[in-house]
Amino acid sequence: MTQRIALVTGASSGIGKATAELLASNGYYVFAMARRMHRLEQIRSDNIEPICLDVTNAEAIRTAVKHAMTTKGRIDVLVNNAGYGQLGAIECVSMEAAHQQFEVNVFGYARFMQEVLPHMRTQKAGCIINISSILGRISIPGFGWYAASKHAVEALSETLRSEVIKFGINVVVIAPGLIKTEFAAKEFELLETVAHPPAYQKLLTALPRLLAGEPQAPGPEIIAQAVLNAATASFAPMRHALPADSKTAVIARWFLGGRLFNWAIRLKMKI
Ligand code: NDP
């Protein structure tokens, strides 16, 4: 049987790293991509080839996809995962920071999808797995720009799925809830860079409380397993939300309706 080939972005830590390692240990040849090459070198193996790349760099993405096609001849799976969370009140996050959030979380995914799709269409097969978030379907104060980027990922994925299913290409969204990675620490680093007037003090106090459960959250391996399942299943779910809180939050939003859900969130956050 020919070896299956996967591209995984954001593979230098967290979910991407766990995914690259799990796919490789299940027989895939993985092109593992991120900016921090020294971190990628730590997972280099016979089945993991690191590529140093920033997902905002269209030329670098083109070169990486071309390299994968030249050396391996096909791309079976794309895992779009590289991302970060720009915390801060919508009013206070600079337009530059908001643009950067979309450059990485949305256009970074889109650039990869546009590069691999012609090859997957020629192959008449392929699977694109986009890592979204619990905040791809709901939103909460302080996470507005991040949630907007993940809502965009969900919309693009849903549209693309219908556009390419007839070419034999599957598009899957995996929506994690809180997962223990470097993600939350980076969110708070970025929050420090946003100037908030005193009126937002309650929100700023609430945000660390909201993420206080992170040390007890599941590790990235559960998302990696969901990616492997989606990549190998002949009938993968269109959207897989996990752990359970990711699913229940969306159900609660649907059940309560917008006004009541928002009230409950403000009550929980004490803002
Ligand atoms: P980490 O911070 O641990 O990993 C993020 C990865 O993205 C790193 O490998 C980082 O690599 C890469 N990355 C960030 N910016 C760029 C860029 N411009 N170019 C290339 N790579 C980049 O976080 P997670 O593993 O938790 O996050 C992975 C995905 O999961 C994200 O899309 C996130 O939104 C999503 N998610 C995470 C949740 C959580 O609770 N952890 C919850 C819901 C969704 P480097 O810095 O080396 O470039």
Side-chain angles (χ1 to χ4, degrees):
M1 222 178 87
T2 49
Q3 188 176 30
R4 283 168 65 80
I5 311 300
L7 308 186
V8 179
T9 71
S12 62
S13 71
I15 293 168
K17 178 170 181 274
T19 299
E21 291 180 315
L22 188 67
L23 289 175
S25 67
N26 279 272
Y28 282 77
Y29 189 91
V30 180
F31 292 95
M33 293 169 273
R35 293 165 302 177
R36 287 171 297 173
M37 194 59 181
H38 66 283
R39 297 283 291 268
L40 292 175
E41 285 297 349
Q42 293 165 8
I43 59 167
R44 182 191 285 276
S45 70
D46 287 349
N47 278 343
I48 300 184
E49 182 177 336
I51 297 180
C52 181
L53 159 158
D54 187 321
V55 298
T56 64
N57 183 335
E59 194 49 45
I61 291 172
R62 209 163 294 132
T63 306
V65 170
K66 200 168 166 191
H67 171 70
M69 286 305 296
T70 311
T71 56
K72 296 293 173 186
R74 58 185 294 111
I75 296 168
D76 297 290
V77 181
L78 164 66
V79 185
N80 264 326
N81 164 76
Y84 69 95
Q86 175 62 67
L87 281 195
I90 290 178
E91 178 188 340
C92 307
V93 172
S94 70
M95 276 298 124
E96 197 186 14
H99 271 279
Q100 185 63 14
Q101 179 74 106
F102 273 70
E103 275 299 324
V104 175
N105 289 15
V106 181
F107 295 112
Y109 281 27
R111 287 183 191 99
F112 264 102
M113 293 193 288
Q114 290 193 341
E115 284 302 322
V116 303
L117 276 166
H119 304 296
M120 289 183 170
R121 275 195 295 105
T122 306
Q123 292 165 191
K124 296 187 172 56
C127 180
I128 295 175
I129 300 172
N130 288 334
I131 305 298
S132 175
S133 165
I134 184 175
L135 297 180
R137 287 277 171 93
I138 61 164
S139 188
I140 51 180
F143 290 81
W145 288 108
Y146 174 67
S149 75
K150 291 299 185 181
H151 275 66
V153 165
E154 299 256 355
L156 284 172
S157 305
E158 197 154 328
T159 310
L160 183 65
R161 185 180 302 125
S162 298
E163 289 175 353
V164 300
I165 189 91
K166 62 177 176 292
F167 306 137
I169 302 165
N170 201 11
V171 180
V172 177
V173 163
I174 294 183
L178 194 57
I179 302 291
K180 198 170 151 189
T181 64
E182 297 174 14
F183 188 77
K186 287 183 203 164
E187 280 183 316
F188 283 108
E189 265 174 43
L190 282 170
L191 181 63
E192 293 290 319
T193 67
V194 182
H196 288 84
Y200 285 104
Q201 191 49 49
K202 274 190 173 174
L203 175 64
L204 294 180
T205 315
L207 290 176
R209 266 203 315 269
L210 209 61
L211 294 175
E214 201 254 9
Q216 289 83 46
E221 297 75 20
I222 65 157
I223 306 299
Q225 188 61 53
V227 171
L228 176 66
N229 294 348
T232 46
S234 46
F235 197 70
M238 293 190 334
R239 187 177 192 273
H240 190 23
L242 75 164
D245 62 330
S246 185
K247 204 169 290 166
T248 45
V250 176
I251 294 169
R253 167 69 178 75
W254 172 81
F255 186 71
L256 295 174
R259 196 179 291 269
L260 202 54
F261 181 79
N262 286 349
W263 172 81
I265 291 287
R266 290 199 304 277
L267 194 71
K268 182 175 163 53
M269 292 178 76
K270 299 192 181 103
I271 61 169

